Short mmCIF file of all heavy atoms in Angstrom, two decimals:
data_model
loop_
_atom_site.label_atom_id
_atom_site.label_comp_id
_atom_site.label_asym_id
_atom_site.label_seq_id
_atom_site.Cartn_x
_atom_site.Cartn_y
_atom_site.Cartn_z
N PHE A 481 -29.73 31.73 -56.42
CA PHE A 481 -29.04 30.99 -55.34
C PHE A 481 -30.10 30.49 -54.37
O PHE A 481 -30.98 31.23 -53.94
CB PHE A 481 -28.09 31.94 -54.59
CG PHE A 481 -27.05 32.54 -55.44
CD1 PHE A 481 -27.17 33.81 -55.98
CD2 PHE A 481 -25.86 31.85 -55.72
CE1 PHE A 481 -26.21 34.38 -56.77
CE2 PHE A 481 -24.88 32.41 -56.49
CZ PHE A 481 -25.06 33.66 -57.03
N TYR A 482 -30.01 29.23 -54.02
CA TYR A 482 -31.00 28.73 -53.06
C TYR A 482 -30.63 29.11 -51.63
O TYR A 482 -31.44 29.04 -50.73
CB TYR A 482 -31.24 27.23 -53.20
CG TYR A 482 -30.08 26.31 -52.89
CD1 TYR A 482 -29.72 25.99 -51.58
CD2 TYR A 482 -29.37 25.73 -53.94
CE1 TYR A 482 -28.68 25.14 -51.31
CE2 TYR A 482 -28.31 24.87 -53.67
CZ TYR A 482 -27.95 24.59 -52.35
OH TYR A 482 -26.91 23.73 -52.08
N ALA A 483 -29.40 29.55 -51.42
CA ALA A 483 -28.98 30.06 -50.14
C ALA A 483 -27.82 31.04 -50.35
O ALA A 483 -26.94 30.80 -51.20
CB ALA A 483 -28.58 28.96 -49.20
N VAL A 484 -27.84 32.13 -49.58
CA VAL A 484 -26.70 33.04 -49.53
C VAL A 484 -26.29 33.13 -48.07
O VAL A 484 -27.15 33.31 -47.18
CB VAL A 484 -27.07 34.43 -50.08
CG1 VAL A 484 -25.89 35.41 -49.92
CG2 VAL A 484 -27.45 34.34 -51.55
N ASN A 485 -25.01 32.97 -47.85
CA ASN A 485 -24.49 32.89 -46.47
C ASN A 485 -23.39 33.93 -46.24
O ASN A 485 -22.72 34.34 -47.17
CB ASN A 485 -23.90 31.52 -46.25
CG ASN A 485 -24.79 30.41 -46.70
OD1 ASN A 485 -25.86 30.17 -46.15
ND2 ASN A 485 -24.37 29.67 -47.73
N TRP A 486 -23.26 34.31 -45.01
CA TRP A 486 -22.11 35.06 -44.56
C TRP A 486 -21.29 34.16 -43.67
O TRP A 486 -21.79 33.55 -42.72
CB TRP A 486 -22.54 36.32 -43.77
CG TRP A 486 -23.02 37.42 -44.64
CD1 TRP A 486 -24.32 37.75 -44.90
CD2 TRP A 486 -22.22 38.39 -45.35
NE1 TRP A 486 -24.36 38.85 -45.73
CE2 TRP A 486 -23.09 39.27 -46.00
CE3 TRP A 486 -20.86 38.58 -45.47
CZ2 TRP A 486 -22.65 40.30 -46.80
CZ3 TRP A 486 -20.41 39.64 -46.25
CH2 TRP A 486 -21.31 40.50 -46.92
N TYR A 487 -19.97 34.11 -43.96
CA TYR A 487 -19.00 33.41 -43.15
C TYR A 487 -17.97 34.40 -42.64
O TYR A 487 -17.87 35.53 -43.18
CB TYR A 487 -18.26 32.35 -43.97
CG TYR A 487 -19.02 31.10 -44.29
CD1 TYR A 487 -19.98 31.07 -45.32
CD2 TYR A 487 -18.77 29.91 -43.60
CE1 TYR A 487 -20.66 29.91 -45.62
CE2 TYR A 487 -19.45 28.75 -43.90
CZ TYR A 487 -20.39 28.74 -44.91
OH TYR A 487 -21.07 27.59 -45.19
N ARG A 488 -17.20 34.00 -41.66
CA ARG A 488 -16.06 34.82 -41.25
C ARG A 488 -14.89 33.95 -40.87
O ARG A 488 -15.08 32.77 -40.55
CB ARG A 488 -16.47 35.75 -40.07
CG ARG A 488 -16.71 35.03 -38.77
CD ARG A 488 -17.23 36.00 -37.72
NE ARG A 488 -17.31 35.42 -36.38
CZ ARG A 488 -17.83 36.04 -35.32
NH1 ARG A 488 -18.36 37.29 -35.45
NH2 ARG A 488 -17.84 35.47 -34.16
N GLN A 489 -13.74 34.56 -40.94
CA GLN A 489 -12.52 33.81 -40.68
C GLN A 489 -11.49 34.73 -40.07
O GLN A 489 -11.30 35.86 -40.51
CB GLN A 489 -11.98 33.18 -41.96
CG GLN A 489 -10.85 32.22 -41.75
CD GLN A 489 -10.49 31.49 -43.04
OE1 GLN A 489 -10.72 31.95 -44.14
NE2 GLN A 489 -9.93 30.29 -42.87
N VAL A 490 -10.81 34.18 -39.05
CA VAL A 490 -9.65 34.88 -38.47
C VAL A 490 -8.42 34.02 -38.75
O VAL A 490 -8.54 32.79 -38.91
CB VAL A 490 -9.82 35.13 -36.96
CG1 VAL A 490 -11.00 36.06 -36.72
CG2 VAL A 490 -10.01 33.82 -36.19
N PRO A 491 -7.26 34.63 -38.76
CA PRO A 491 -6.04 33.86 -39.08
C PRO A 491 -5.87 32.69 -38.12
O PRO A 491 -6.03 32.84 -36.89
CB PRO A 491 -4.93 34.89 -38.91
CG PRO A 491 -5.59 36.19 -39.21
CD PRO A 491 -6.97 36.06 -38.66
N GLY A 492 -5.56 31.53 -38.67
CA GLY A 492 -5.31 30.37 -37.85
C GLY A 492 -6.54 29.60 -37.44
O GLY A 492 -6.42 28.56 -36.76
N LYS A 493 -7.71 30.08 -37.84
CA LYS A 493 -8.95 29.38 -37.50
C LYS A 493 -9.74 29.04 -38.75
O LYS A 493 -9.55 29.67 -39.79
CB LYS A 493 -9.81 30.23 -36.54
CG LYS A 493 -9.16 30.48 -35.19
CD LYS A 493 -10.08 31.21 -34.27
CE LYS A 493 -11.27 30.37 -33.83
NZ LYS A 493 -12.13 31.04 -32.86
N GLN A 494 -10.63 28.09 -38.60
CA GLN A 494 -11.47 27.70 -39.73
C GLN A 494 -12.51 28.76 -40.00
O GLN A 494 -12.96 29.47 -39.07
CB GLN A 494 -12.15 26.35 -39.46
CG GLN A 494 -11.26 25.15 -39.58
CD GLN A 494 -12.05 23.85 -39.59
OE1 GLN A 494 -13.06 23.73 -38.90
NE2 GLN A 494 -11.56 22.86 -40.33
N ARG A 495 -12.95 28.82 -41.24
CA ARG A 495 -14.00 29.73 -41.61
C ARG A 495 -15.30 29.22 -40.96
O ARG A 495 -15.59 28.02 -40.97
CB ARG A 495 -14.15 29.76 -43.15
CG ARG A 495 -14.94 30.88 -43.70
CD ARG A 495 -14.80 30.97 -45.21
NE ARG A 495 -13.42 31.33 -45.62
CZ ARG A 495 -13.10 31.61 -46.88
NH1 ARG A 495 -14.01 31.54 -47.85
NH2 ARG A 495 -11.86 31.93 -47.17
N GLU A 496 -16.04 30.16 -40.39
CA GLU A 496 -17.30 29.73 -39.68
C GLU A 496 -18.51 30.46 -40.23
O GLU A 496 -18.43 31.62 -40.63
CB GLU A 496 -17.16 30.00 -38.16
CG GLU A 496 -16.89 31.45 -37.78
CD GLU A 496 -16.67 31.61 -36.27
OE1 GLU A 496 -16.68 30.61 -35.54
OE2 GLU A 496 -16.50 32.75 -35.84
N LEU A 497 -19.61 29.73 -40.23
CA LEU A 497 -20.87 30.29 -40.73
C LEU A 497 -21.44 31.27 -39.72
O LEU A 497 -21.54 30.97 -38.53
CB LEU A 497 -21.87 29.17 -40.98
CG LEU A 497 -23.26 29.58 -41.48
CD1 LEU A 497 -23.16 30.24 -42.86
CD2 LEU A 497 -24.15 28.35 -41.54
N VAL A 498 -21.82 32.45 -40.20
CA VAL A 498 -22.38 33.48 -39.36
C VAL A 498 -23.89 33.54 -39.48
O VAL A 498 -24.66 33.55 -38.52
CB VAL A 498 -21.77 34.85 -39.71
CG1 VAL A 498 -22.42 35.98 -38.91
CG2 VAL A 498 -20.26 34.83 -39.48
N ALA A 499 -24.37 33.60 -40.76
CA ALA A 499 -25.80 33.73 -41.00
C ALA A 499 -26.09 33.30 -42.40
O ALA A 499 -25.22 33.34 -43.27
CB ALA A 499 -26.27 35.18 -40.79
N SER A 500 -27.35 32.87 -42.62
CA SER A 500 -27.73 32.45 -43.97
C SER A 500 -29.17 32.87 -44.22
O SER A 500 -29.96 33.05 -43.31
CB SER A 500 -27.59 30.94 -44.12
OG SER A 500 -28.42 30.27 -43.18
N ILE A 501 -29.47 33.01 -45.52
CA ILE A 501 -30.85 33.31 -45.94
C ILE A 501 -31.11 32.48 -47.19
O ILE A 501 -30.29 32.43 -48.12
CB ILE A 501 -31.04 34.83 -46.19
CG1 ILE A 501 -32.50 35.15 -46.49
CG2 ILE A 501 -30.11 35.35 -47.28
CD1 ILE A 501 -32.84 36.65 -46.38
N THR A 502 -32.27 31.85 -47.22
CA THR A 502 -32.62 31.02 -48.38
C THR A 502 -33.43 31.80 -49.39
O THR A 502 -33.83 32.97 -49.12
CB THR A 502 -33.45 29.81 -47.92
OG1 THR A 502 -34.75 30.28 -47.49
CG2 THR A 502 -32.77 29.05 -46.82
N ASP A 503 -33.68 31.21 -50.55
CA ASP A 503 -34.42 31.88 -51.58
C ASP A 503 -35.86 32.15 -51.14
O ASP A 503 -36.54 33.05 -51.67
CB ASP A 503 -34.40 31.13 -52.89
CG ASP A 503 -34.81 29.68 -52.77
OD1 ASP A 503 -35.15 29.26 -51.63
OD2 ASP A 503 -34.78 28.95 -53.77
N SER A 504 -36.35 31.39 -50.16
CA SER A 504 -37.70 31.62 -49.63
C SER A 504 -37.72 32.62 -48.48
O SER A 504 -38.78 32.96 -47.96
CB SER A 504 -38.29 30.30 -49.12
OG SER A 504 -37.55 29.79 -48.05
N GLY A 505 -36.52 33.12 -48.13
CA GLY A 505 -36.43 34.16 -47.08
C GLY A 505 -36.19 33.60 -45.67
O GLY A 505 -36.11 34.40 -44.73
N ARG A 506 -36.06 32.30 -45.55
CA ARG A 506 -35.77 31.73 -44.23
C ARG A 506 -34.35 32.07 -43.81
O ARG A 506 -33.43 31.99 -44.59
CB ARG A 506 -35.96 30.22 -44.26
CG ARG A 506 -35.85 29.55 -42.88
CD ARG A 506 -36.09 28.06 -43.02
NE ARG A 506 -35.06 27.43 -43.84
CZ ARG A 506 -35.10 26.17 -44.23
NH1 ARG A 506 -36.11 25.43 -43.92
NH2 ARG A 506 -34.12 25.68 -44.95
N THR A 507 -34.20 32.49 -42.56
CA THR A 507 -32.88 32.90 -42.05
C THR A 507 -32.42 31.97 -40.93
O THR A 507 -33.23 31.33 -40.24
CB THR A 507 -32.93 34.35 -41.54
OG1 THR A 507 -33.92 34.46 -40.50
CG2 THR A 507 -33.30 35.32 -42.65
N ASN A 508 -31.13 31.95 -40.75
CA ASN A 508 -30.51 31.14 -39.72
C ASN A 508 -29.27 31.86 -39.25
O ASN A 508 -28.58 32.48 -40.04
CB ASN A 508 -30.19 29.74 -40.25
CG ASN A 508 -29.78 28.80 -39.14
OD1 ASN A 508 -30.48 28.72 -38.12
ND2 ASN A 508 -28.68 28.13 -39.27
N TYR A 509 -29.01 31.75 -37.93
CA TYR A 509 -27.87 32.48 -37.35
C TYR A 509 -27.05 31.56 -36.45
O TYR A 509 -27.58 30.68 -35.77
CB TYR A 509 -28.37 33.67 -36.51
CG TYR A 509 -29.15 34.71 -37.30
CD1 TYR A 509 -30.52 34.63 -37.41
CD2 TYR A 509 -28.46 35.74 -37.91
CE1 TYR A 509 -31.21 35.55 -38.14
CE2 TYR A 509 -29.15 36.67 -38.68
CZ TYR A 509 -30.54 36.57 -38.76
OH TYR A 509 -31.23 37.51 -39.50
N ALA A 510 -25.77 31.83 -36.39
CA ALA A 510 -24.92 31.19 -35.43
C ALA A 510 -25.27 31.70 -34.07
O ALA A 510 -25.67 32.86 -33.90
CB ALA A 510 -23.46 31.45 -35.75
N ASP A 511 -25.12 30.87 -33.05
CA ASP A 511 -25.49 31.27 -31.68
C ASP A 511 -24.74 32.54 -31.24
O ASP A 511 -25.29 33.35 -30.52
CB ASP A 511 -25.22 30.13 -30.70
CG ASP A 511 -26.24 29.02 -30.81
OD1 ASP A 511 -27.30 29.23 -31.42
OD2 ASP A 511 -25.93 27.91 -30.34
N PHE A 512 -23.49 32.67 -31.71
CA PHE A 512 -22.69 33.79 -31.21
C PHE A 512 -23.08 35.14 -31.81
O PHE A 512 -22.55 36.17 -31.39
CB PHE A 512 -21.19 33.52 -31.43
CG PHE A 512 -20.78 33.12 -32.82
CD1 PHE A 512 -20.66 34.09 -33.80
CD2 PHE A 512 -20.59 31.79 -33.14
CE1 PHE A 512 -20.29 33.75 -35.11
CE2 PHE A 512 -20.22 31.44 -34.44
CZ PHE A 512 -20.09 32.42 -35.42
N VAL A 513 -24.01 35.15 -32.74
CA VAL A 513 -24.48 36.45 -33.30
C VAL A 513 -26.01 36.64 -33.14
O VAL A 513 -26.51 37.70 -33.49
CB VAL A 513 -24.11 36.64 -34.77
CG1 VAL A 513 -22.60 36.52 -34.97
CG2 VAL A 513 -24.84 35.63 -35.68
N LYS A 514 -26.68 35.65 -32.62
CA LYS A 514 -28.14 35.79 -32.46
C LYS A 514 -28.48 36.97 -31.60
O LYS A 514 -27.88 37.19 -30.55
CB LYS A 514 -28.72 34.49 -31.85
CG LYS A 514 -28.92 33.38 -32.85
CD LYS A 514 -29.53 32.15 -32.17
CE LYS A 514 -29.72 31.04 -33.18
NZ LYS A 514 -30.24 29.80 -32.58
N GLY A 515 -29.43 37.75 -32.07
CA GLY A 515 -29.88 38.94 -31.34
C GLY A 515 -29.03 40.17 -31.67
O GLY A 515 -29.40 41.27 -31.25
N ARG A 516 -27.91 39.99 -32.38
CA ARG A 516 -27.05 41.13 -32.71
C ARG A 516 -26.97 41.37 -34.22
O ARG A 516 -26.88 42.51 -34.65
CB ARG A 516 -25.65 40.90 -32.15
CG ARG A 516 -25.58 40.75 -30.65
CD ARG A 516 -24.12 40.75 -30.13
NE ARG A 516 -23.35 39.64 -30.69
CZ ARG A 516 -22.21 39.80 -31.35
NH1 ARG A 516 -21.72 40.98 -31.55
NH2 ARG A 516 -21.53 38.74 -31.82
N PHE A 517 -26.94 40.31 -35.00
CA PHE A 517 -26.80 40.39 -36.46
C PHE A 517 -28.12 40.07 -37.12
O PHE A 517 -28.89 39.23 -36.64
CB PHE A 517 -25.74 39.41 -36.96
CG PHE A 517 -24.31 39.75 -36.58
CD1 PHE A 517 -24.03 40.71 -35.62
CD2 PHE A 517 -23.28 39.08 -37.19
CE1 PHE A 517 -22.72 40.99 -35.27
CE2 PHE A 517 -21.95 39.37 -36.85
CZ PHE A 517 -21.67 40.31 -35.87
N THR A 518 -28.36 40.72 -38.27
CA THR A 518 -29.54 40.43 -39.06
C THR A 518 -29.15 40.32 -40.54
O THR A 518 -28.48 41.23 -41.07
CB THR A 518 -30.58 41.56 -38.92
OG1 THR A 518 -30.95 41.71 -37.53
CG2 THR A 518 -31.85 41.21 -39.72
N ILE A 519 -29.56 39.23 -41.13
CA ILE A 519 -29.32 39.04 -42.58
C ILE A 519 -30.61 39.37 -43.32
O ILE A 519 -31.70 39.02 -42.86
CB ILE A 519 -28.80 37.59 -42.88
CG1 ILE A 519 -28.35 37.48 -44.35
CG2 ILE A 519 -29.87 36.56 -42.54
CD1 ILE A 519 -27.64 36.16 -44.63
N SER A 520 -30.46 40.04 -44.45
CA SER A 520 -31.66 40.42 -45.22
C SER A 520 -31.25 40.49 -46.70
O SER A 520 -30.07 40.37 -47.05
CB SER A 520 -32.21 41.76 -44.76
OG SER A 520 -31.25 42.80 -44.96
N ARG A 521 -32.27 40.68 -47.51
CA ARG A 521 -32.06 40.63 -48.96
C ARG A 521 -32.85 41.73 -49.65
O ARG A 521 -34.01 41.96 -49.30
CB ARG A 521 -32.51 39.25 -49.44
CG ARG A 521 -32.19 38.91 -50.88
CD ARG A 521 -32.66 37.50 -51.14
NE ARG A 521 -34.11 37.39 -51.06
CZ ARG A 521 -34.75 36.29 -50.74
NH1 ARG A 521 -34.07 35.19 -50.46
NH2 ARG A 521 -36.05 36.30 -50.69
N ASP A 522 -32.22 42.38 -50.62
CA ASP A 522 -32.89 43.35 -51.48
C ASP A 522 -32.97 42.72 -52.83
O ASP A 522 -31.99 42.70 -53.59
CB ASP A 522 -32.13 44.67 -51.51
CG ASP A 522 -32.88 45.76 -52.32
OD1 ASP A 522 -33.62 45.40 -53.25
OD2 ASP A 522 -32.71 46.92 -52.02
N ASN A 523 -34.12 42.18 -53.19
CA ASN A 523 -34.24 41.44 -54.45
C ASN A 523 -34.04 42.32 -55.65
O ASN A 523 -33.47 41.88 -56.65
CB ASN A 523 -35.64 40.79 -54.50
CG ASN A 523 -35.86 39.84 -53.35
OD1 ASN A 523 -34.91 39.21 -52.84
ND2 ASN A 523 -37.08 39.69 -52.91
#
């Protein structure tokens, strides 16, 4: 996978991206979780 992402969804709302990690290990976070959530990978 060139990217693996975590999304979340609550009833009545669109699914939103929470965090992502690429195959090179680059990570990205939604502003509402920065500093609280960490995405990682065990190869």
Side-chain angles (χ1 to χ4, degrees):
F481 301 96
Y482 65 80
V484 177
N485 311 294
W486 283 99
Y487 284 78
R488 69 186 189 187
Q489 188 171 26
V490 297
K493 295 185 70 176
Q494 284 192 327
R495 197 169 292 188
E496 58 185 3
L497 179 63
V498 175
S500 61
I501 186 165
T502 69
D503 53 0
S504 63
R506 187 179 63 188
T507 59
N508 190 49
Y509 298 92
D511 286 343
F512 52 80
V513 302
K514 280 182 180 177
R516 300 189 298 125
F517 290 12
T518 302
I519 189 170
S520 62
R521 188 177 65 207
D522 184 332
N523 300 330

